[in-house]
Amino acid sequence: MLARVWSASLVGIDAVKVGVEVDVSGGLPGIVIVGLPDIAVQESRERVKAALKNAGYAFPMRKIVVNLTPADLRKEGPSFDLPISVGVLAASEQIDLTLLGSCLFLGELSLDGTLRSVAGVLPIAAAAKRMGITTLVVPIGNVGEAAVVQGLAVYGFKHVSEVADFLSHPASYSPAEVNGREELSRSQFTGLDLKDVKGQAHARRALEIAAAGGHNLVFVGPPGSGKTMLARRLPGILPPLSFEEALEVTQIHSVAGLLKDKGSLISARPFRSPHHSASGPSLVGGGSFPRPGEISLAHRGILFLDELTEFKRDVLEFLRQPLEDGQVTISRTRQSVMFPAQFTLVASTNPCPCGYFGDTLQACSCSPRQREQYWARLSGPLMDRIDLQVAVNRLKPEEITQHPAGEHSESVRERVQAARDRATARFQAESSLRSNAEMQSRHLKQWCHLDDVTRNLLEGAIRKLGLSARATDRILKVGLTIADLAGDDSLQTHHIAEAIQYRTIDRMQ
C-alpha cells in the first residue's frame, strides 16, 4: 500500500514542502530511502524500525520504499524520522489516514519512540501556513516556538504512540496556544546598565547616537580605558524588539538550533561576540548545508568585535558586503541561500601595537612605521562603513574614585526610542527602512538638505580628512540621527559638526 505524509526541509531560513511517500510491497524485507537524503536521513531507517517496534507496533517485514519529493532537493537532518514512521504506519494500515493530507510532521525519534526536538521549526511553521497546511505535529519541545504562528493548529507530543492516537482520535486533543505579542510585552531587559560607567561622556554620547540610528561604532583607546565595558552596555539602551523583528530573530536562531530553553520568542536583541580567531565562514555562515554565521545571528542586534585589529584582515573583509546590503548570500554548487544580516557592528581596538599611543598616563613605545603597519590591518573600505570612530581615554585616578555614577540606561533608552519614533514617522513611505543607518543615497537627497554654511563645513572636512563618498554619506546619516535626538526637523550646522568629530581614525591616518 502507498501512503503520503507531508514534511518540510529548510533552504537557508526558507522552508520547502516535502512529500514523504512510503510504499510497502512484496520483496526482500528492508527500507530504501531515495530523494537525495543525507547521512542523517539515511540513518532514519534504523531509528524508525527500532522506535516502532519498541512502541508496540508491528513493523512490516516487507520491502519498504521511502521517496522524498521533490527528488532534486537535498534533505538533511533527523526531522524526517516522525513523518517516515507515520508513513510506515499508514502504509501498513495501522493508523487512520483521514488527517494525513492536512498535517505536516516534524521530529526526531529515539529508539524507544520518544520524540526529540529538532532545529528550524519556526520558519517551517510559518511556511506551512502559507502552503495551506492546517495542522502541524511536532515534538513537545518545539511546540512553543511553532505555536507563535497564528492560524495554524500546533500539536506537541512526547512519544510516537501519542501521534498515532491523535491521528485516530483528533477530537481528544487540543492545539497549543501561545500569544507571542503578549509574551514579548512582558519581557524586561536585565542586562548591564550605563550607570556603572564613570565619566567617558564623549563615548556615552556616541553609544546613544549609535543606538538611536543603528550606526556602526568603533572605540579606539589604550587598555583599561573601558572600551569593552561601554560596548557591552549598548544593548541596554536599544529599543525593544517589535513582534515582527522578534519573529525574524527567532527564526534565524531556530535554524541554527540555538532556541532550546529560550522560550517561544527571543525577546532581547542579540549580542554576539566572536573571538578574534574566528574564521570567515564562522562569521558569514556556510557549510555543505549552509547555516547562519555570527553576522546573521546578530540580526537586529549587535555584533561586537573586541580587539578588532587582531582579526585576520581577510576575515574582516567578509563583513564589507553584509554591512552594505544587510544580508549575506552563500552560494554552493546545487543551491544559493540568503541569510538576513541587518546588524550594528561595534568594535574596539588599541591605537597602536603597545596600546598607549596618545595616552596621557603612559608613553607609547611604537615607531611611526609600526603604527602604520598596525592600522594597515584595517582596510579603508571597511573603515568607511563604520559611522562612529571614537577615541576613549583612560580615567585619571581622581576620576575613578570621585566621579559620580553615570545616567541610567533606562533614561537614555527613552531618548533613543523618541529619536527612533521620529525616524519611523519619516520612513512611513519606505517600509523597508527601520533606522537612519539603513538609508541609501536617494534617501539622503530627500531628507538631508544642507544650507551653504553647513555645505562648506562638510566640504572642508572632506578635503582635510580625505573622506570618500561613502564616508560622507555616513556623516550625513549620523547628523540626521543627532537631529532626531535633539528633536529638530532639519539638519543644522552643529549636527554635521558633531558628526564630523566622530571620524577619529580618519584624523589619525
Side-chain angles (χ1 to χ4, degrees):
M1 180 178 175
L2 174 66
R4 176 181 284 129
V5 179
W6 295 113
S7 188
S9 182
L10 288 170
V11 179
I13 61 169
D14 298 318
V16 178
K17 191 176 182 182
V18 173
V20 181
E21 300 175 337
V22 180
D23 179 63
V24 178
S25 59
L28 293 175
I31 304 178
V32 178
I33 301 179
V34 297
L36 285 183
D38 74 343
I39 294 177
V41 180
Q42 289 283 10
E43 291 174 345
S44 293
R45 295 175 297 183
E46 305 305 325
R47 290 194 296 271
V48 168
K49 184 176 180 180
L52 292 182
K53 284 185 175 181
N54 291 328
Y57 295 98
F59 191 84
M61 297 306 294
R62 305 172 69 184
K63 182 178 181 180
I64 301 174
V65 178
V66 179
N67 180 37
L68 305 177
T69 62
D72 60 346
L73 175 70
R74 295 183 67 184
K75 291 84 178 179
E76 63 161 332
S79 61
F80 291 100
D81 289 2
L82 179 58
I84 290 175
S85 63
V86 171
V88 170
L89 293 175
S92 57
E93 301 180 330
Q94 297 184 66
I95 59 173
D96 194 298
L97 309 183
T98 306
L99 294 180
L100 291 188
S102 61
C103 290
L104 190 146
F105 298 86
L106 294 169
E108 177 185 349
L109 286 176
S110 296
L111 297 186
D112 62 354
T114 302
L115 291 176
R116 297 170 58 89
S117 302
V118 294
V121 169
L122 178 56
I124 290 176
K129 181 182 177 182
R130 296 193 298 269
M131 297 170 188
I133 295 292
T134 60
T135 304
L136 180 64
V137 177
V138 296
I140 190 68
N142 292 123
V143 72
E145 60 175 298
V148 169
V149 179
Q150 301 298 307
L152 183 69
V154 178
Y155 295 85
F157 299 104
K158 296 180 180 179
H159 198 273
V160 67
S161 60
E162 297 177 0
V163 177
D165 185 63
F166 162 73
L167 292 172
S168 300
H169 309 93
S172 302
Y173 296 85
S174 300
E177 294 184 4
V178 174
N179 190 326
R181 295 183 185 274
E182 183 177 330
E183 284 196 9
L184 193 62
S185 65
R186 289 200 302 265
S187 65
Q188 294 182 345
F189 181 79
T190 57
L192 302 174
D193 200 307
L194 264 179
K195 69 179 177 62
D196 302 324
V197 179
K198 294 184 177 181
Q200 305 294 9
H202 186 56
R204 291 169 60 97
R205 171 66 170 171
L207 279 179
E208 184 173 341
I209 295 171
H215 301 291
N216 301 320
L217 167 67
V218 61
F219 288 125
V220 183
S225 58
K227 303 185 296 295
T228 302
M229 181 183 186
L230 284 161
R232 292 190 178 279
R233 279 154 178 76
L234 180 55
I237 62 174
L238 288 171
L241 287 170
S242 66
F243 180 70
E244 291 72 21
E245 289 176 326
L247 279 178
E248 293 175 15
V249 173
T250 306
Q251 286 189 37
I252 296 170
H253 283 70
S254 176
V255 169
L258 301 177
L259 208 55
K260 295 180 180 179
D261 303 323
K262 291 186 178 180
S264 56
L265 270 182
I266 292 180
S267 57
R269 291 189 182 272
F271 186 94
R272 306 293 299 184
S273 180
H275 190 260
H276 61 74
S277 62
S279 65
S282 71
L283 283 182
V284 301
S288 55
F289 291 94
R291 283 290 179 265
E294 291 290 340
I295 62 175
S296 293
L297 294 173
H299 181 65
R300 300 299 176 194
I302 298 164
L303 178 69
F304 176 48
L305 302 184
D306 199 8
E307 302 299 340
L308 181 66
T309 47
E310 297 301 321
F311 284 80
K312 294 180 180 178
R313 176 164 176 156
D314 60 333
V315 171
L316 293 178
E317 294 304 294
F318 280 103
L319 297 175
R320 286 167 55 177
Q321 182 258 337
L323 283 173
E324 198 72 23
D325 300 338
Q327 62 184 34
V328 59
T329 302
I330 301 173
S331 298
R332 294 292 181 265
T333 303
R334 290 182 175 272
Q335 63 181 355
S336 179
V337 300
M338 187 277 292
F339 293 113
Q342 193 68 58
F343 61 94
T344 298
L345 174 64
V346 180
S348 68
T349 183
N350 295 332
C352 64
C354 77
Y356 296 105
F357 179 67
D359 187 28
T360 57
L361 302 179
Q362 186 167 336
C364 174
S365 62
C366 304
S367 67
R369 177 61 177 166
Q370 288 176 315
R371 289 195 293 269
E372 182 181 346
Q373 291 176 336
Y374 183 77
W375 284 109
R377 302 177 190 179
L378 306 178
S379 69
L382 175 64
M383 299 313 298
D384 273 353
R385 290 170 168 82
I386 298 181
D387 310 34
L388 302 165
Q389 305 166 3
V390 183
V392 182
N393 298 317
R394 284 196 293 174
L395 296 177
K396 297 177 182 179
E398 58 271 20
E399 291 179 308
I400 296 175
T401 58
Q402 299 177 13
H403 203 287
E407 187 179 13
H408 285 261
S409 290
E410 185 177 356
S411 301
V412 180
R413 186 165 59 246
E414 291 176 358
R415 295 197 297 270
V416 168
Q417 185 63 66
R420 290 258 184 164
D421 291 342
R422 292 182 65 85
T424 300
R426 184 166 56 245
F427 300 149
Q428 284 184 348
E430 297 281 350
S431 58
S432 61
L433 295 180
R434 294 177 183 268
S435 67
N436 290 337
E438 299 176 27
M439 293 191 298
Q440 304 297 322
S441 296
R442 59 187 178 88
H443 303 127
L444 296 178
K445 293 178 181 178
Q446 181 179 357
W447 291 309
C448 296
H449 302 291
L450 306 179
D451 57 30
D452 292 339
V453 174
T454 307
R455 185 178 296 105
N456 290 336
L457 174 66
L458 182 57
E459 290 174 355
I462 294 171
R463 284 191 293 268
K464 184 175 181 179
L465 303 179
L467 299 178
S468 66
R470 181 185 289 114
T472 303
D473 286 349
R474 301 278 174 174
I475 289 176
L476 292 174
K477 294 176 186 179
V478 172
L480 193 58
T481 299
I482 294 171
D484 287 338
L485 284 169
D488 295 330
D489 295 327
S490 61
L491 269 176
Q492 298 177 23
T493 304
H494 64 274
H495 300 147
I496 295 298
E498 183 178 357
I500 293 172
Q501 293 303 307
Y502 297 111
R503 304 301 302 186
T504 297
I505 296 178
D506 294 322
R507 296 199 302 271
M508 292 174 59
Q509 296 177 332

